[in-house]
Coordinates of all heavy atoms in Angstrom, one line a residue:
D1 N 22.3 -41.5 -19.7 CA 23.5 -42.2 -20.1 C 23.1 -43.3 -21.1 O 22.4 -44.3 -20.6 CB 24.3 -42.7 -18.9 CG 25.5 -43.5 -19.3 OD1 25.8 -43.7 -20.5 OD2 26.1 -44.0 -18.3
P2 N 23.4 -43.3 -22.3 CA 22.9 -44.3 -23.3 C 23.5 -45.7 -23.0 O 23.0 -46.7 -23.4 CB 23.5 -43.9 -24.6 CG 24.0 -42.5 -24.4 CD 24.1 -42.2 -23.0
S3 N 24.5 -45.8 -22.1 CA 25.1 -47.1 -21.9 C 24.3 -47.7 -20.7 O 24.5 -48.9 -20.4 CB 26.6 -47.0 -21.5 OG 26.8 -46.3 -20.4
D4 N 23.5 -47.0 -19.9 CA 22.8 -47.5 -18.8 C 21.4 -47.7 -19.1 O 20.4 -47.1 -18.7 CB 22.9 -46.4 -17.7 CG 22.3 -46.9 -16.4 OD1 22.2 -48.1 -16.2 OD2 21.9 -46.1 -15.5
R5 N 21.2 -48.6 -20.1 CA 19.8 -49.0 -20.6 C 19.7 -50.5 -20.6 O 20.7 -51.2 -20.5 CB 19.6 -48.5 -22.0 CG 19.8 -47.0 -22.1 CD 19.6 -46.7 -23.7 NE 19.5 -45.3 -23.9 CZ 19.2 -44.8 -25.0 NH1 19.0 -45.5 -26.1 NH2 19.2 -43.4 -25.2
A6 N 18.5 -51.0 -20.7 CA 18.2 -52.4 -20.9 C 19.0 -52.9 -22.1 O 19.6 -54.0 -22.1 CB 16.8 -52.7 -21.0
E7 N 19.1 -52.1 -23.2 CA 19.8 -52.5 -24.4 C 20.8 -51.3 -24.6 O 20.5 -50.4 -25.3 CB 18.9 -52.6 -25.6 CG 17.9 -53.8 -25.4 CD 17.0 -53.9 -26.6 OE1 17.5 -53.7 -27.7 OE2 15.8 -54.4 -26.4
P8 N 22.0 -51.4 -24.0 CA 23.0 -50.3 -24.1 C 23.5 -50.0 -25.4 O 23.6 -50.9 -26.3 CB 24.1 -50.8 -23.2 CG 23.7 -52.0 -22.6 CD 22.5 -52.5 -23.2
V9 N 23.8 -48.8 -25.7 CA 24.3 -48.3 -27.0 C 25.5 -47.4 -26.7 O 25.6 -46.8 -25.7 CB 23.3 -47.6 -27.9 CG1 22.1 -48.5 -28.2 CG2 22.8 -46.4 -27.2
L10 N 26.4 -47.4 -27.7 CA 27.6 -46.5 -27.6 C 27.5 -45.5 -28.8 O 27.4 -45.9 -30.0 CB 28.9 -47.3 -27.8 CG 30.1 -46.4 -27.9 CD1 30.3 -45.5 -26.6 CD2 31.4 -47.3 -28.1
M11 N 27.3 -44.2 -28.5 CA 27.2 -43.2 -29.5 C 28.3 -42.2 -29.4 O 28.6 -41.8 -28.3 CB 25.8 -42.5 -29.3 CG 24.6 -43.3 -29.5 SD 23.1 -42.3 -29.4 CE 22.5 -43.0 -27.9
S12 N 29.0 -41.9 -30.5 CA 30.0 -40.9 -30.5 C 30.1 -40.3 -31.9 O 29.7 -40.9 -32.9 CB 31.4 -41.4 -30.1 OG 31.9 -42.3 -31.1
F13 N 30.6 -39.0 -32.0 CA 30.6 -38.3 -33.2 C 31.8 -37.4 -33.1 O 31.9 -36.7 -32.1 CB 29.3 -37.6 -33.6 CG 29.3 -36.9 -34.9 CD1 29.2 -37.6 -36.0 CD2 29.5 -35.5 -34.9 CE1 29.2 -37.0 -37.3 CE2 29.4 -34.9 -36.2 CZ 29.3 -35.6 -37.3
R14 N 32.7 -37.3 -34.1 CA 33.8 -36.3 -34.0 C 33.6 -35.1 -34.9 O 33.3 -35.3 -36.2 CB 35.1 -37.0 -34.4 CG 35.6 -37.9 -33.3 CD 37.0 -38.5 -33.7 NE 38.0 -37.6 -34.1 CZ 39.0 -37.9 -34.7 NH1 39.3 -39.1 -35.1 NH2 39.9 -36.9 -35.0
R15 N 33.7 -33.9 -34.4 CA 33.8 -32.8 -35.2 C 34.3 -31.6 -34.2 O 34.2 -31.7 -33.0 CB 32.5 -32.3 -35.8 CG 31.5 -31.7 -34.8 CD 30.4 -31.0 -35.5 NE 29.3 -31.8 -35.8 CZ 28.2 -31.5 -36.4 NH1 28.0 -30.3 -36.6 NH2 27.3 -32.3 -36.6
P16 N 34.8 -30.6 -34.7 CA 35.3 -29.5 -33.9 C 34.2 -28.8 -33.2 O 33.0 -28.8 -33.6 CB 36.0 -28.5 -34.8 CG 35.6 -28.9 -36.2 CD 35.1 -30.3 -36.1
H17 N 34.4 -28.2 -32.0 CA 33.3 -27.6 -31.3 C 32.9 -26.3 -32.0 O 31.8 -25.8 -31.9 CB 33.7 -27.2 -29.9 CG 33.9 -28.4 -29.1 ND1 32.8 -29.2 -28.7 CD2 34.9 -28.8 -28.4 CE1 33.2 -30.2 -28.0 NE2 34.5 -30.0 -27.8
F18 N 33.9 -25.6 -32.8 CA 33.6 -24.4 -33.5 C 34.0 -24.6 -35.0 O 34.9 -25.2 -35.3 CB 34.4 -23.2 -33.0 CG 34.2 -23.0 -31.5 CD1 34.9 -23.5 -30.5 CD2 33.1 -22.1 -31.2 CE1 34.7 -23.2 -29.2 CE2 32.8 -21.9 -29.8 CZ 33.6 -22.4 -28.8
S19 N 33.0 -24.0 -35.8 CA 33.3 -24.0 -37.3 C 33.5 -22.5 -37.7 O 32.7 -21.6 -37.2 CB 32.1 -24.6 -38.0 OG 32.3 -24.4 -39.4
L20 N 34.5 -22.3 -38.4 CA 34.9 -20.9 -38.9 C 34.8 -20.8 -40.4 O 34.9 -21.7 -41.1 CB 36.3 -20.6 -38.5 CG 36.8 -20.8 -37.0 CD1 38.3 -20.5 -36.8 CD2 35.9 -20.0 -36.0
N21 N 34.3 -19.5 -40.8 CA 34.3 -19.3 -42.2 C 35.7 -18.9 -42.7 O 36.7 -18.8 -41.9 CB 33.2 -18.3 -42.6 CG 33.5 -16.9 -42.0 OD1 34.6 -16.5 -41.6 ND2 32.5 -16.0 -42.1
A22 N 35.8 -18.5 -44.0 CA 37.1 -18.2 -44.6 C 37.7 -17.0 -43.9 O 39.0 -16.8 -43.9 CB 37.0 -18.0 -46.1
Q23 N 36.9 -16.1 -43.3 CA 37.5 -14.9 -42.6 C 37.7 -15.2 -41.1 O 38.2 -14.2 -40.4 CB 36.4 -13.8 -42.8 CG 36.3 -13.2 -44.2 CD 35.5 -14.1 -45.0 OE1 34.5 -14.7 -44.6 NE2 35.9 -14.2 -46.3
G24 N 37.6 -16.3 -40.7 CA 37.8 -16.7 -39.3 C 36.7 -16.4 -38.3 O 36.9 -16.5 -37.1
A25 N 35.5 -16.0 -38.8 CA 34.4 -15.8 -38.0 C 33.7 -17.1 -37.6 O 33.6 -18.0 -38.5 CB 33.4 -14.8 -38.6
V26 N 33.2 -17.1 -36.4 CA 32.5 -18.3 -36.0 C 31.2 -18.4 -36.7 O 30.4 -17.5 -36.7 CB 32.3 -18.4 -34.4 CG1 31.5 -19.5 -34.0 CG2 33.6 -18.3 -33.7
V27 N 30.9 -19.5 -37.3 CA 29.7 -19.7 -38.0 C 28.9 -20.9 -37.6 O 27.8 -21.2 -38.0 CB 29.8 -19.9 -39.6 CG1 30.4 -18.5 -40.2 CG2 30.8 -21.0 -40.0
G28 N 29.5 -21.7 -36.6 CA 28.8 -22.8 -36.0 C 29.4 -23.2 -34.8 O 30.6 -23.1 -34.6
V29 N 28.6 -23.6 -33.8 CA 29.0 -24.1 -32.5 C 28.4 -25.4 -32.3 O 27.2 -25.6 -32.5 CB 28.6 -23.2 -31.3 CG1 29.1 -23.7 -30.0 CG2 29.3 -21.7 -31.5
F30 N 29.2 -26.4 -32.0 CA 28.6 -27.8 -31.9 C 29.0 -28.3 -30.4 O 30.1 -28.5 -30.1 CB 29.3 -28.7 -32.9 CG 29.2 -28.1 -34.2 CD1 30.3 -27.4 -34.9 CD2 28.0 -28.2 -35.0 CE1 30.1 -26.9 -36.1 CE2 27.8 -27.6 -36.2 CZ 28.9 -27.0 -36.8
W31 N 27.9 -28.5 -29.7 CA 28.1 -28.8 -28.3 C 27.1 -30.0 -27.9 O 25.9 -29.8 -27.8 CB 27.9 -27.7 -27.4 CG 28.2 -27.8 -26.0 CD1 27.4 -28.1 -24.9 CD2 29.6 -27.9 -25.4 NE1 28.1 -28.2 -23.8 CE2 29.5 -28.1 -24.1 CE3 30.8 -27.7 -26.0 CZ2 30.6 -28.2 -23.2 CZ3 31.9 -27.8 -25.2 CH2 31.8 -28.0 -23.8
S32 N 27.6 -31.2 -27.7 CA 26.9 -32.3 -27.3 C 27.7 -33.3 -26.5 O 28.0 -34.4 -26.9 CB 26.3 -33.0 -28.5 OG 25.3 -33.9 -28.1
P33 N 28.0 -32.9 -25.3 CA 28.9 -33.8 -24.4 C 28.5 -35.2 -24.3 O 29.3 -36.1 -24.4 CB 28.9 -33.1 -23.0 CG 28.6 -31.7 -23.4 CD 27.6 -31.7 -24.5
P34 N 27.2 -35.6 -24.3 CA 26.9 -37.0 -24.2 C 27.3 -37.8 -25.4 O 27.4 -39.1 -25.3 CB 25.3 -37.0 -24.0 CG 25.0 -35.7 -23.6 CD 26.0 -34.8 -24.2
F35 N 27.5 -37.2 -26.5 CA 27.8 -37.9 -27.7 C 29.2 -37.7 -28.2 O 29.6 -38.1 -29.3 CB 26.9 -37.5 -28.9 CG 25.4 -37.8 -28.5 CD1 24.5 -36.8 -28.3 CD2 25.0 -39.1 -28.4 CE1 23.2 -37.0 -27.9 CE2 23.7 -39.4 -28.1 CZ 22.8 -38.3 -27.8
E36 N 30.1 -37.1 -27.4 CA 31.5 -36.9 -27.8 C 32.3 -38.1 -27.7 O 32.2 -38.9 -26.7 CB 32.1 -35.8 -26.9 CG 31.5 -34.4 -27.2 CD 32.0 -33.4 -26.1 OE1 33.0 -33.7 -25.4 OE2 31.5 -32.3 -26.1
G37 N 33.1 -38.4 -28.7 CA 34.1 -39.4 -28.6 C 35.3 -39.0 -27.8 O 35.3 -37.9 -27.2
P38 N 36.3 -39.8 -27.8 CA 37.6 -39.5 -27.1 C 38.3 -38.3 -27.8 O 38.1 -38.0 -29.0 CB 38.4 -40.7 -27.3 CG 37.9 -41.5 -28.4 CD 36.4 -41.1 -28.5
L39 N 39.0 -37.5 -27.1 CA 39.7 -36.4 -27.6 C 40.9 -36.8 -28.4 O 41.7 -37.7 -27.9 CB 40.2 -35.5 -26.4 CG 41.1 -34.3 -26.8 CD1 40.3 -33.3 -27.6 CD2 41.6 -33.6 -25.5
H40 N 41.1 -36.3 -29.6 CA 42.2 -36.6 -30.4 C 43.0 -35.3 -30.5 O 42.6 -34.4 -31.4 CB 41.8 -37.1 -31.8 CG 41.1 -38.4 -31.7 ND1 41.8 -39.6 -31.6 CD2 39.8 -38.8 -31.6 CE1 41.0 -40.6 -31.6 NE2 39.8 -40.2 -31.6
A41 N 43.9 -35.1 -29.7 CA 44.7 -33.8 -29.8 C 46.2 -34.1 -29.3 O 46.4 -35.1 -28.6 CB 44.1 -32.8 -28.8
P42 N 47.1 -33.3 -29.7 CA 48.5 -33.4 -29.2 C 48.5 -33.3 -27.7 O 47.8 -32.5 -27.1 CB 49.2 -32.3 -29.9 CG 48.5 -31.9 -31.1 CD 47.0 -32.2 -30.7
L43 N 49.3 -34.1 -27.0 CA 49.4 -34.1 -25.6 C 49.6 -32.7 -24.9 O 48.9 -32.4 -24.0 CB 50.4 -35.1 -25.1 CG 50.5 -35.3 -23.6 CD1 49.2 -35.9 -23.1 CD2 51.7 -36.3 -23.3
E44 N 50.4 -31.9 -25.6 CA 50.7 -30.6 -25.0 C 49.4 -29.7 -25.1 O 49.3 -28.7 -24.4 CB 51.8 -29.9 -25.7 CG 51.7 -29.6 -27.2 CD 52.1 -30.8 -28.1 OE1 52.4 -31.9 -27.6 OE2 52.2 -30.6 -29.3
D45 N 48.5 -30.0 -25.9 CA 47.2 -29.2 -26.1 C 46.1 -29.6 -25.1 O 45.1 -28.9 -24.9 CB 46.6 -29.2 -27.5 CG 47.5 -28.5 -28.5 OD1 48.4 -27.8 -28.1 OD2 47.3 -28.8 -29.7
V46 N 46.2 -30.8 -24.5 CA 45.2 -31.3 -23.6 C 44.8 -30.4 -22.5 O 43.6 -30.1 -22.3 CB 45.5 -32.8 -23.2 CG1 44.5 -33.3 -22.2 CG2 45.5 -33.7 -24.5
P47 N 45.8 -30.0 -21.7 CA 45.3 -29.1 -20.5 C 44.6 -27.8 -21.0 O 43.6 -27.4 -20.4 CB 46.6 -28.7 -19.8 CG 47.6 -29.8 -20.2 CD 47.2 -30.2 -21.6
R48 N 45.1 -27.2 -22.0 CA 44.5 -25.9 -22.6 C 43.1 -26.3 -23.1 O 42.2 -25.5 -22.9 CB 45.4 -25.3 -23.6 CG 44.9 -24.0 -24.2 CD 46.0 -23.3 -25.0 NE 46.4 -24.3 -26.0 CZ 46.5 -24.0 -27.3 NH1 46.3 -22.8 -27.7 NH2 46.9 -24.8 -28.2
Y49 N 42.9 -27.4 -23.8 CA 41.7 -27.8 -24.3 C 40.6 -27.9 -23.2 O 39.5 -27.5 -23.3 CB 41.7 -29.1 -25.1 CG 40.4 -29.7 -25.4 CD1 39.6 -29.2 -26.5 CD2 39.8 -30.6 -24.6 CE1 38.4 -29.7 -26.8 CE2 38.6 -31.2 -24.9 CZ 37.9 -30.7 -26.0 OH 36.6 -31.2 -26.2
Y50 N 41.0 -28.6 -22.1 CA 40.1 -28.9 -21.0 C 39.7 -27.6 -20.2 O 38.7 -27.5 -19.7 CB 40.5 -30.1 -20.2 CG 40.2 -31.4 -20.8 CD1 41.1 -32.2 -21.3 CD2 38.8 -31.8 -21.0 CE1 40.8 -33.4 -21.9 CE2 38.5 -33.0 -21.6 CZ 39.5 -33.8 -22.0 OH 39.1 -35.0 -22.6
R51 N 40.7 -26.7 -20.1 CA 40.4 -25.4 -19.5 C 39.3 -24.7 -20.3 O 38.3 -24.1 -19.8 CB 41.6 -24.5 -19.4 CG 42.5 -25.0 -18.2 CD 43.6 -23.9 -17.9 NE 44.4 -23.6 -19.0 CZ 45.5 -24.3 -19.3 NH1 45.9 -25.3 -18.6 NH2 46.2 -23.9 -20.4
A52 N 39.5 -24.7 -21.6 CA 38.5 -24.0 -22.5 C 37.2 -24.8 -22.5 O 36.1 -24.1 -22.5 CB 39.1 -24.0 -24.0
Y53 N 37.2 -26.1 -22.5 CA 36.0 -26.9 -22.5 C 35.2 -26.6 -21.2 O 34.0 -26.4 -21.3 CB 36.4 -28.4 -22.5 CG 35.3 -29.4 -22.6 CD1 35.0 -29.9 -23.8 CD2 34.6 -29.8 -21.4 CE1 34.0 -30.9 -23.9 CE2 33.6 -30.7 -21.5 CZ 33.3 -31.3 -22.8 OH 32.3 -32.2 -22.9
K54 N 35.9 -26.6 -20.1 CA 35.2 -26.2 -18.8 C 34.6 -24.9 -18.8 O 33.5 -24.6 -18.3 CB 36.2 -26.4 -17.7 CG 35.6 -26.1 -16.3 CD 36.7 -26.4 -15.2 CE 36.1 -26.1 -13.8 NZ 37.0 -26.2 -12.8
A55 N 35.3 -23.9 -19.4 CA 34.8 -22.5 -19.4 C 33.6 -22.4 -20.3 O 32.6 -21.7 -20.0 CB 35.9 -21.6 -19.9
L56 N 33.6 -23.1 -21.5 CA 32.4 -23.1 -22.3 C 31.3 -23.7 -21.7 O 30.1 -23.3 -21.7 CB 32.8 -23.7 -23.7 CG 31.6 -23.7 -24.7 CD1 31.1 -22.4 -25.0 CD2 32.1 -24.5 -26.0
H57 N 31.5 -24.9 -21.1 CA 30.4 -25.7 -20.4 C 29.9 -24.8 -19.3 O 28.6 -24.8 -19.2 CB 31.0 -27.0 -19.8 CG 29.9 -27.8 -19.1 ND1 29.1 -28.5 -19.8 CD2 29.7 -27.9 -17.8 CE1 28.2 -29.1 -18.9 NE2 28.6 -28.8 -17.7
Q58 N 30.6 -24.1 -18.5 CA 30.1 -23.3 -17.4 C 29.3 -22.1 -18.0 O 28.2 -21.8 -17.5 CB 31.2 -22.7 -16.6 CG 30.8 -21.9 -15.4 CD 31.9 -21.5 -14.5 OE1 33.1 -22.0 -14.7 NE2 31.7 -20.6 -13.6
A59 N 29.8 -21.5 -19.1 CA 29.1 -20.4 -19.8 C 27.7 -20.9 -20.2 O 26.6 -20.2 -20.1 CB 29.9 -19.8 -20.9
I60 N 27.6 -22.1 -20.9 CA 26.4 -22.6 -21.3 C 25.4 -22.9 -20.1 O 24.2 -22.6 -20.2 CB 26.6 -23.9 -22.1 CG1 27.3 -23.5 -23.4 CG2 25.3 -24.6 -22.4 CD1 27.9 -24.7 -24.2
E61 N 25.9 -23.5 -19.1 CA 25.2 -23.8 -17.9 C 24.5 -22.5 -17.2 O 23.5 -22.6 -16.7 CB 25.9 -24.6 -16.9 CG 26.1 -26.1 -17.3 CD 24.9 -26.9 -17.5 OE1 24.0 -26.8 -16.7 OE2 24.8 -27.5 -18.6
E62 N 25.3 -21.5 -17.3 CA 24.9 -20.2 -16.6 C 24.0 -19.3 -17.5 O 23.5 -18.3 -17.0 CB 26.1 -19.5 -16.1 CG 26.8 -20.1 -15.0 CD 28.1 -19.6 -14.6 OE1 28.5 -18.5 -15.1 OE2 28.8 -20.1 -13.6
A63 N 23.9 -19.6 -18.8 CA 23.2 -18.8 -19.7 C 21.7 -18.8 -19.4 O 21.2 -19.8 -19.0 CB 23.4 -19.2 -21.1
P64 N 21.0 -17.8 -19.8 CA 19.5 -17.8 -19.5 C 18.9 -18.9 -20.4 O 19.4 -19.1 -21.5 CB 19.1 -16.4 -20.0 CG 20.3 -15.6 -20.1 CD 21.5 -16.5 -20.3
R65 N 17.8 -19.5 -19.9 CA 17.2 -20.5 -20.7 C 15.7 -20.2 -20.7 O 15.1 -19.7 -19.9 CB 17.4 -21.9 -20.0 CG 18.8 -22.3 -19.9 CD 18.9 -23.6 -19.1 NE 20.3 -23.8 -18.9 CZ 20.8 -25.0 -18.9 NH1 20.0 -26.1 -19.1 NH2 22.1 -25.2 -18.8
L66 N 15.1 -20.7 -21.8 CA 13.6 -20.7 -22.0 C 13.2 -22.1 -21.9 O 13.7 -23.0 -22.6 CB 13.3 -20.1 -23.3 CG 11.8 -20.2 -23.8 CD1 11.0 -19.4 -22.9 CD2 11.7 -19.9 -25.2
H67 N 12.2 -22.4 -21.0 CA 11.6 -23.7 -20.9 C 10.2 -23.7 -21.4 O 9.4 -22.8 -20.9 CB 11.7 -24.2 -19.5 CG 13.0 -24.4 -19.0 ND1 13.7 -25.6 -19.1 CD2 13.9 -23.6 -18.4 CE1 15.0 -25.5 -18.6 NE2 15.1 -24.3 -18.1
H68 N 9.8 -24.6 -22.3 CA 8.4 -24.6 -22.8 C 8.0 -26.0 -23.2 O 8.8 -26.7 -23.9 CB 8.3 -23.7 -24.0 CG 6.9 -23.8 -24.7 ND1 5.8 -23.1 -24.1 CD2 6.5 -24.3 -25.8 CE1 4.8 -23.3 -24.8 NE2 5.2 -24.1 -25.9
R69 N 6.9 -26.4 -22.6 CA 6.5 -27.8 -23.0 C 5.5 -27.6 -24.1 O 4.5 -26.9 -24.0 CB 5.7 -28.4 -21.8 CG 5.2 -29.9 -22.1 CD 4.5 -30.5 -20.9 NE 5.4 -30.8 -19.9 CZ 6.0 -32.0 -19.8 NH1 5.6 -33.0 -20.6 NH2 6.8 -32.3 -18.8
L70 N 5.8 -28.2 -25.2 CA 4.9 -28.1 -26.4 C 3.6 -28.9 -26.1 O 3.6 -30.0 -25.5 CB 5.6 -28.8 -27.6 CG 6.8 -28.0 -28.1 CD1 7.5 -28.8 -29.3 CD2 6.5 -26.6 -28.5
L71 N 2.6 -28.3 -26.6 CA 1.2 -28.9 -26.5 C 0.9 -29.6 -27.8 O 1.6 -29.4 -28.8 CB 0.2 -27.8 -26.3 CG 0.3 -27.0 -25.0 CD1 -0.7 -25.9 -24.9 CD2 0.2 -27.9 -23.7
P72 N 0.0 -30.6 -27.7 CA -0.3 -31.3 -29.0 C -0.7 -30.3 -30.1 O -1.4 -29.4 -29.9 CB -1.6 -32.1 -28.6 CG -1.4 -32.3 -27.1 CD -0.8 -31.0 -26.6
G73 N -0.1 -30.5 -31.2 CA -0.3 -29.7 -32.4 C 0.7 -28.5 -32.5 O 0.7 -27.8 -33.5
E74 N 1.4 -28.2 -31.4 CA 2.5 -27.2 -31.5 C 3.8 -27.7 -32.1 O 4.1 -28.8 -32.1 CB 2.8 -26.6 -30.1 CG 1.7 -25.8 -29.5 CD 2.2 -25.2 -28.2 OE1 2.8 -25.9 -27.4 OE2 1.9 -24.0 -28.0
M75 N 4.5 -26.8 -32.7 CA 5.8 -27.1 -33.3 C 6.7 -26.0 -33.1 O 6.3 -24.8 -33.1 CB 5.6 -27.3 -34.9 CG 6.9 -27.6 -35.5 SD 6.7 -28.0 -37.3 CE 5.6 -26.8 -37.9
L76 N 8.0 -26.3 -32.8 CA 9.0 -25.3 -32.6 C 10.0 -25.5 -33.7 O 10.6 -26.5 -33.9 CB 9.8 -25.5 -31.3 CG 10.9 -24.6 -30.9 CD1 10.4 -23.1 -30.9 CD2 11.5 -25.0 -29.6
V77 N 10.3 -24.4 -34.5 CA 11.2 -24.4 -35.6 C 12.3 -23.4 -35.4 O 12.0 -22.3 -35.0 CB 10.5 -24.1 -36.9 CG1 11.5 -24.2 -38.1 CG2 9.3 -25.1 -37.1
F78 N 13.5 -23.8 -35.6 CA 14.6 -22.9 -35.4 C 15.8 -23.4 -36.3 O 15.9 -24.5 -36.7 CB 15.1 -22.7 -34.0 CG 15.4 -24.0 -33.3 CD1 16.6 -24.6 -33.3 CD2 14.4 -24.6 -32.6 CE1 16.9 -25.7 -32.7 CE2 14.6 -25.8 -31.9 CZ 15.9 -26.4 -31.9
N79 N 16.7 -22.5 -36.5 CA 18.0 -22.8 -37.3 C 18.9 -23.6 -36.3 O 19.4 -22.9 -35.4 CB 18.5 -21.6 -37.8 CG 19.8 -21.9 -38.7 OD1 20.5 -22.8 -38.4 ND2 20.1 -21.0 -39.6
N80 N 19.2 -24.8 -36.6 CA 20.1 -25.6 -35.8 C 21.4 -25.1 -35.6 O 22.1 -25.3 -34.5 CB 20.2 -27.0 -36.5 CG 19.8 -28.1 -35.6 OD1 19.3 -27.9 -34.5 ND2 20.2 -29.3 -36.0
R81 N 21.9 -24.2 -36.5 CA 23.3 -23.7 -36.4 C 23.3 -22.3 -35.8 O 24.3 -21.7 -35.6 CB 23.9 -23.6 -37.7 CG 24.2 -25.1 -38.2 CD 25.1 -25.0 -39.4 NE 25.4 -26.4 -39.8 CZ 26.5 -26.8 -40.2 NH1 27.5 -25.9 -40.3 NH2 26.7 -28.0 -40.5
R82 N 22.1 -21.8 -35.4 CA 22.1 -20.4 -34.8 C 21.6 -20.4 -33.4 O 21.6 -19.4 -32.8 CB 21.1 -19.6 -35.7 CG 21.4 -19.4 -37.1 CD 22.5 -18.5 -37.4 NE 22.2 -17.2 -36.9 CZ 23.0 -16.1 -37.0 NH1 24.3 -16.3 -37.5 NH2 22.6 -15.0 -36.5
M83 N 21.1 -21.5 -32.9 CA 20.6 -21.6 -31.5 C 21.0 -22.8 -30.8 O 20.9 -23.9 -31.4 CB 19.0 -21.6 -31.6 CG 18.4 -21.6 -30.2 SD 16.6 -21.8 -30.3 CE 16.2 -20.0 -30.8
L84 N 21.6 -22.6 -29.7 CA 22.0 -23.8 -28.9 C 20.7 -24.3 -28.2 O 19.9 -23.4 -27.6 CB 23.0 -23.4 -27.8 CG 23.5 -24.5 -26.9 CD1 24.3 -25.5 -27.8 CD2 24.5 -23.9 -25.9
H85 N 20.4 -25.5 -28.3 CA 19.1 -26.1 -27.9 C 19.3 -27.4 -27.3 O 20.4 -28.1 -27.4 CB 18.1 -26.1 -29.0 CG 18.5 -27.1 -30.1 ND1 19.5 -26.7 -31.0 CD2 18.2 -28.4 -30.4 CE1 19.7 -27.8 -31.9 NE2 18.9 -28.8 -31.5
G86 N 18.3 -27.9 -26.5 CA 18.4 -29.1 -25.9 C 17.0 -29.5 -25.5 O 16.0 -28.8 -25.8
R87 N 16.9 -30.6 -24.8 CA 15.5 -31.0 -24.4 C 15.7 -31.8 -23.0 O 16.7 -32.4 -22.8 CB 14.9 -31.9 -25.4 CG 15.6 -33.2 -25.7 CD 15.1 -33.9 -26.9 NE 15.3 -33.2 -28.2 CZ 16.4 -33.2 -28.9 NH1 17.4 -33.7 -28.4 NH2 16.4 -32.5 -30.0
A88 N 14.7 -31.7 -22.3 CA 14.7 -32.5 -21.0 C 14.2 -33.9 -21.3 O 13.6 -34.2 -22.3 CB 13.7 -31.8 -20.0
A89 N 14.5 -34.8 -20.3 CA 14.0 -36.2 -20.5 C 12.5 -36.2 -20.6 O 11.8 -35.3 -20.1 CB 14.5 -36.9 -19.3
F90 N 12.1 -37.2 -21.3 CA 10.6 -37.4 -21.3 C 10.2 -38.9 -21.3 O 11.2 -39.7 -21.5 CB 10.0 -36.8 -22.7 CG 10.5 -37.4 -23.9 CD1 9.9 -38.5 -24.5 CD2 11.7 -37.0 -24.5 CE1 10.3 -39.0 -25.7 CE2 12.2 -37.5 -25.6 CZ 11.5 -38.6 -26.2
S91 N 9.1 -39.2 -21.1 CA 8.6 -40.6 -21.1 C 7.3 -40.7 -21.9 O 6.5 -39.7 -21.9 CB 8.4 -41.2 -19.7 OG 7.5 -40.4 -19.0
L92 N 7.1 -41.8 -22.6 CA 5.9 -41.9 -23.3 C 4.8 -42.4 -22.4 O 5.1 -43.1 -21.4 CB 6.2 -43.0 -24.4 CG 7.3 -42.6 -25.4 CD1 7.5 -43.7 -26.4 CD2 6.8 -41.4 -26.2
P93 N 3.6 -42.0 -22.7 CA 2.4 -42.3 -21.8 C 2.2 -43.9 -21.8 O 2.6 -44.6 -22.6 CB 1.2 -41.7 -22.4 CG 1.7 -41.1 -23.7 CD 3.1 -41.2 -23.8

């Protein structure tokens, strides 16, 4: 939690969770709950939004994961818009 630090910060960013091309195909998925700002949606859409949000969150949590600790000199390169990725907490020596 970025607000639970010796020097707290507030981070937020607004964008849709899904980006579509002109044909309506999904071309980007954006998922970063710690950095989401408040929901800006019509009141009647809020329950449906949170049902979908919960379903997507659950699908992400249940998806297979690859865990790999990089060694000195290693690098991992991937297309940011093609792979959902994250990182575990770390501490400096």
Side-chain angles (χ1 to χ4, degrees):
D1 179 1
S3 65
D4 186 24
R5 300 177 172 188
E7 296 180 32
V9 295
L10 172 62
M11 296 184 250
S12 69
F13 185 74
R14 281 183 59 194
R15 81 161 85 177
H17 291 298
F18 298 97
S19 178
L20 309 178
N21 66 14
Q23 292 74 38
V26 175
V27 294
V29 177
F30 308 100
W31 190 255
S32 188
F35 300 108
E36 291 173 11
L39 176 63
H40 295 276
L43 188 58
E44 62 270 12
D45 292 343
V46 171
R48 187 170 50 135
Y49 169 82
Y50 279 111
R51 283 193 302 275
Y53 186 101
K54 182 178 177 182
L56 179 58
H57 181 76
Q58 184 174 349
I60 291 169
E61 288 298 312
E62 294 174 357
R65 296 175 186 217
L66 170 68
H67 295 269
H68 176 73
R69 179 180 290 267
L70 295 175
L71 298 172
E74 286 187 320
M75 177 173 47
L76 177 63
V77 179
F78 53 87
N79 182 331
N80 234 10
R81 294 191 175 220
R82 303 280 303 172
M83 179 183 288
L84 186 61
H85 63 282
R87 63 192 66 77
F90 64 91
S91 58
L92 299 174

